[in-house]
Amino acid sequence: DREEHIHTSEMQRMIRPLLHTMNWAFQRLHWFLALLVLGYLLSGITIVKSDEVAILLRFGRLVGGSGPAVNQPGLLFVLPKPMDEVVRVKVKKIYEIEIYDLHYRNPDETTLRRPHGRTMDPENKGYCLTGDHNIVQIEMVARYQITDPVAYVLWQSDPEVLLHNTIVATTVRAIGEVDVDGVLSEGRGE
């Protein structure tokens, strides 16, 4: 019986600091939870940089449909995720799209070069027909700036692909309306 009493008192001596620590932690748990909630709420504070604007989506829908939907640079207070999402759009940046669809490319498609030989394979080499039925090859760089960030973000799934395809189609149509001299000389800038 004495051996059992020693064993029990030894266990109590070992468990007592653990119980004391657990009691201390549970007494302060509400402060820890309050700090977690405060940190979660403060995670909605966003800084919009000077070269961008922010579009606010709440549960995937545009916020500010009847008012200003575009938030200007500065401090922005939003609800934390997953309720609000802030989409940043750089409106002062000049973007570039390189267009090589109307020019010959190597099979590895990393470098441009002139085709060897005198004939052109229309299935493998990009080209354009002028109004007087001459073939021209064009490589271009299109520069653009985003003026309507809401349309850029929300109205199409991939705006760069849409812009690329629109430029190629417009170029083919425009070149088809002029003769080869106009394309190679005075019409080149247009």
Side-chain angles (χ1 to χ4, degrees), residues 103-105 121-126:
H103 197 275
Y104 177 74
R105 291 180 75 80
D121 182 6
E123 292 180 10
N124 295 324
K125 300 172 182 125

Short mmCIF file of all heavy atoms in Angstrom, two decimals, residues 103-105 121-126:
data_model
loop_
_atom_site.label_atom_id
_atom_site.label_comp_id
_atom_site.label_asym_id
_atom_site.label_seq_id
_atom_site.Cartn_x
_atom_site.Cartn_y
_atom_site.Cartn_z
N HIS A 103 5.03 36.45 -90.38
CA HIS A 103 6.44 36.41 -90.74
C HIS A 103 6.94 34.99 -90.58
O HIS A 103 6.43 34.24 -89.75
CB HIS A 103 7.25 37.36 -89.85
CG HIS A 103 8.60 37.69 -90.38
ND1 HIS A 103 9.68 36.89 -90.16
CD2 HIS A 103 9.03 38.72 -91.13
CE1 HIS A 103 10.74 37.43 -90.75
NE2 HIS A 103 10.36 38.54 -91.34
N TYR A 104 7.96 34.62 -91.34
CA TYR A 104 8.51 33.28 -91.27
C TYR A 104 9.25 33.06 -89.95
O TYR A 104 9.99 33.92 -89.51
CB TYR A 104 9.49 33.05 -92.44
CG TYR A 104 10.15 31.70 -92.38
CD1 TYR A 104 9.45 30.57 -92.71
CD2 TYR A 104 11.47 31.58 -91.97
CE1 TYR A 104 10.04 29.32 -92.64
CE2 TYR A 104 12.07 30.34 -91.90
CZ TYR A 104 11.35 29.21 -92.24
OH TYR A 104 11.93 27.99 -92.16
N ARG A 105 9.01 31.91 -89.34
CA ARG A 105 9.72 31.54 -88.11
C ARG A 105 10.39 30.20 -88.31
O ARG A 105 9.92 29.35 -89.03
CB ARG A 105 8.74 31.42 -86.94
CG ARG A 105 8.18 32.75 -86.52
CD ARG A 105 7.23 32.59 -85.37
NE ARG A 105 7.86 32.34 -84.09
CZ ARG A 105 8.42 33.25 -83.31
NH1 ARG A 105 8.43 34.50 -83.71
NH2 ARG A 105 8.94 32.95 -82.16
N ASP A 121 6.08 28.33 -98.70
CA ASP A 121 5.08 27.36 -98.30
C ASP A 121 4.05 28.09 -97.42
O ASP A 121 4.33 28.40 -96.27
CB ASP A 121 5.74 26.23 -97.52
CG ASP A 121 4.77 25.15 -97.11
OD1 ASP A 121 3.58 25.22 -97.52
OD2 ASP A 121 5.17 24.23 -96.38
N PRO A 122 2.85 28.35 -97.93
CA PRO A 122 1.89 29.15 -97.16
C PRO A 122 1.39 28.46 -95.89
O PRO A 122 0.86 29.12 -95.01
CB PRO A 122 0.75 29.38 -98.15
CG PRO A 122 0.94 28.45 -99.26
CD PRO A 122 2.36 28.00 -99.25
N GLU A 123 1.54 27.16 -95.79
CA GLU A 123 1.10 26.48 -94.58
C GLU A 123 2.08 26.65 -93.43
O GLU A 123 1.70 26.55 -92.27
CB GLU A 123 0.89 24.99 -94.85
CG GLU A 123 -0.27 24.72 -95.78
CD GLU A 123 -0.45 23.24 -96.03
OE1 GLU A 123 0.20 22.43 -95.35
OE2 GLU A 123 -1.24 22.90 -96.92
N ASN A 124 3.35 26.88 -93.74
CA ASN A 124 4.38 26.95 -92.72
C ASN A 124 4.95 28.34 -92.51
O ASN A 124 5.62 28.57 -91.51
CB ASN A 124 5.53 25.99 -93.04
CG ASN A 124 5.07 24.55 -92.99
OD1 ASN A 124 4.25 24.18 -92.17
ND2 ASN A 124 5.60 23.74 -93.89
N LYS A 125 4.74 29.23 -93.44
CA LYS A 125 5.36 30.55 -93.34
C LYS A 125 4.27 31.61 -93.33
O LYS A 125 3.38 31.62 -94.17
CB LYS A 125 6.29 30.78 -94.52
CG LYS A 125 7.40 29.75 -94.57
CD LYS A 125 8.21 29.86 -95.83
CE LYS A 125 9.24 28.76 -95.83
NZ LYS A 125 9.20 27.94 -97.01
N GLY A 126 4.34 32.52 -92.35
CA GLY A 126 3.35 33.58 -92.27
C GLY A 126 3.56 34.62 -93.35
O GLY A 126 4.69 34.91 -93.75
#
